[in-house]
Amino acid sequence: MPDPQPLSNRQRKILERQAERNREMAAAKRADTRTPFREAELQFLSRQPQPDFSLALDFRQPSEKLLQDPKIRKVQLKKRMGEFSELFGVKDREQDAGLEDKEAEEDGREYAYFHSDHPGLIYIPFGFSPSAQRKLIRACLKEYSRHPNKSNLDTHYNVPDCGVWDLHERVANGSLSLENDKDEAFVPRKAKADEQANGYGSDDDDDDSDNGSGDQSTKNKDRPTEKEPRPTKKAKSATKTPSVRTLVPETDQTPTVPEDVPKTDPEPSSQVPILPPSQLIKKMRWITLGYQYHWPSKTYHFDQNAPFPKELCVLSKAVVEAVESVAGPGSPWHYPAEEFVAEAGVVNYYQLKDRLMGHVDRSELNKDAPLVSFSFGHSCIYLLGGPTRETAPTPVLLQSGDILVMTGPCRAAFHGVPRIIENTLPSYLQAQSDDPEWDIYAEYLSEARINLNIRQVYPPKKNESTSSSSSTLASLSS
Ligand SMILES: O=C(O)CCC(=O)C(=O)O
Ligand SMILES: [Fe+2]
């Protein structure tokens, strides 16, 4: 190649000015998108230096300390959670809770907490007994993760109806062999090897760089930026790549797709790895319950309604009843429990490096019904902000067994999970000498957090029994 012509002074000056302008514009854009919410995300995402986790609000700390904060109000529930539904279990608070609230420990009373910066947030720490937690964790991994509920794995793999957990268990107990039963043990890809890989998003949608430049959601093709195996040029680091998810656009617009536009699924990738079940299960990021969700358009498939697990209908309604006992008629946060119907849900499975970027859950047609959220496994930092990213969020420590309810204005608040905190798995979720069947769950949980959240999609149907959502709703059509 011939040497480029030397630039004249004038040309060089023009280029320098242009480069300067580009730098200024990039800096302005960065400053623009470094919202207080984003700043907080970056603070808790940081691994070097480690964030100060003690900055997070811990609702289990002793009352005397917690209530020094005048923004926090503590109200006793009318009954214990176990009396609202036995599915919350019976707690041996002294042994199990790790609850430092002496008042609650001594007399077994249970409380809900309110925060004046976050109207509509209702927090019930340690809502589930350890054995009730173990039961739900088993269900999340073994039952809810199966068809007809969809998971992120369904995009790329032909997951059998028994589910990946079942394969994982059978390989672990020796009834399925990785060598002799290859065809059954290894879940096949959906796409054939010679098809174009595009299932895991385009190559420029890498949120992992975390350069603080803001809007990531528009880069993601399906929810979820399942940032697991990035098969194309990132193939080498694929299995190390943490999963980052952004649920909904960061704009305040409700995204809608006209009902007559087909909600197409993302294309399967031909390059996702074929993994043994013990590794594939760690790639599971979410499953949807009840009305299935179409992540690319952020709308529900109103014609795809999987039967909602009965116990979750009961548990979520009981939470709304418990909330009613502290925010009854006359309270701005009152929602009659009899009108609450569990119609959709998400189970989020986090590995230690995963995070869920800031978002608002706004796809439900019923914006008044509370969203009920349960945490299991490792603790996390949960950022609870306001109506826009301009509101600095409050970091809250969500611990295993805690119940968080978002209602009123809080239902429309930005929130996210920038960090799962290592070494926070309660001892009662670790291997139990008297229950060897728990071992495989304990092993999974040693690097995981599970969140289960439940929503009502439709406004209550007047004059209709709402006691069992699944009985009144159409069954899953595809
Ligand atoms: O993991 C959590 O606690 C939050 C999950 C969440 O915000 C969601 O699924 O919309
Ligand atoms: Fe959410």
Side-chain angles (χ1 to χ4, degrees), residues 139-435:
C140 285
L141 288 166
K142 196 177 167 75
E143 290 158 33
Y144 306 156
S145 59
R146 286 182 183 153
H147 297 152
N149 301 330
K150 286 188 187 161
S151 87
N152 61 301
L153 296 177
D154 290 312
T155 306
H156 304 290
Y157 295 93
N158 276 318
V159 180
D161 287 344
C162 66
V164 180
W165 185 267
D166 185 77
L167 298 177
H168 174 38
E169 269 185 343
R170 282 159 59 204
V171 171
N173 69 23
S175 62
L176 192 66
S177 155
L178 290 178
E179 285 79 41
N180 304 333
D181 310 304
K182 271 202 184 81
D183 287 351
E184 196 179 352
F186 286 87
V187 176
R189 287 184 202 105
K190 266 191 175 153
K192 298 197 184 68
D194 54 352
E195 283 173 21
Q196 193 63 38
N198 54 3
Y200 275 147
S202 63
D203 261 342
D204 63 357
D205 73 345
D206 194 345
D207 296 337
D208 292 335
S209 54
D210 269 319
N211 55 11
S213 61
D215 187 359
Q216 296 148 1
S217 57
T218 52
K219 297 172 190 166
N220 300 329
K221 286 189 173 160
D222 51 352
R223 173 186 201 188
T225 39
E226 287 11 89
K227 300 224 97 54
E228 322 119 27
R230 292 291 306 265
T232 49
K233 63 185 178 206
K234 297 200 169 86
K236 271 186 255 142
S237 60
T239 45
K240 285 189 242 135
T241 310
S243 167
V244 182
R245 292 174 293 178
T246 306
L247 288 176
V248 288
E250 299 181 359
T251 68
D252 289 347
Q253 303 298 313
T254 301
T256 49
V257 199
E259 279 304 310
D260 52 353
V261 172
K263 293 175 183 173
T264 50
D265 284 330
E267 288 295 309
S269 165
S270 59
Q271 293 177 40
V272 289
I274 300 293
L275 298 168
S278 60
Q279 286 182 41
L280 191 58
I281 197 69
K282 294 184 181 176
K283 305 288 177 200
M284 190 166 68
R285 293 289 175 269
W286 52 263
I287 64 100
T288 41
L289 299 165
Y291 285 108
Q292 298 296 295
Y293 198 65
H294 183 245
W295 298 104
S297 63
K298 286 99 189 170
T299 57
Y300 283 99
H301 284 286
F302 292 112
D303 57 344
Q304 296 182 18
N305 186 18
F308 209 94
K310 281 257 166 17
E311 62 278 17
L312 296 184
C313 293
V314 171
L315 280 167
S316 54
K317 200 188 255 296
V319 170
V320 180
E321 219 182 296
V323 165
E324 223 185 336
S325 85
V326 289
S331 155
W333 322 133
H334 179 235
Y335 191 88
E338 63 190 32
E339 292 188 359
F340 185 84
V341 187
E343 290 174 328
V346 183
V347 185
N348 291 297
Y349 306 87
Y350 297 84
Q351 296 292 300
L352 291 177
K353 296 250 162 64
D354 292 345
R355 57 224 196 214
L356 177 60
M357 306 311 284
H359 65 277
V360 177
D361 295 294
R362 56 171 115 244
S363 304
E364 294 71 30
L365 306 178
N366 181 343
K367 304 270 193 286
D368 298 324
L371 184 153
V372 174
S373 173
F374 304 142
S375 289
F376 303 114
H378 278 81
S379 304
C380 75
I381 298 289
Y382 179 85
L383 293 179
L384 181 58
T388 72
R389 288 172 179 275
E390 295 307 323
T391 307
T394 302
V396 180
L397 185 69
L398 298 193
Q399 300 175 66
S400 195
D402 287 358
I403 301 172
L404 182 148
V405 178
M406 297 170 89
T407 186
C410 186
R411 185 69 181 72
F414 272 88
H415 60 281
V417 177
R419 190 67 178 254
I420 312 297
I421 310 176
E422 286 180 24
N423 303 318
T424 53
L425 188 68
S427 56
Y428 57 76
L429 296 182
Q430 296 171 19
Q432 309 292 303
S433 51
D434 58 347
D435 182 6

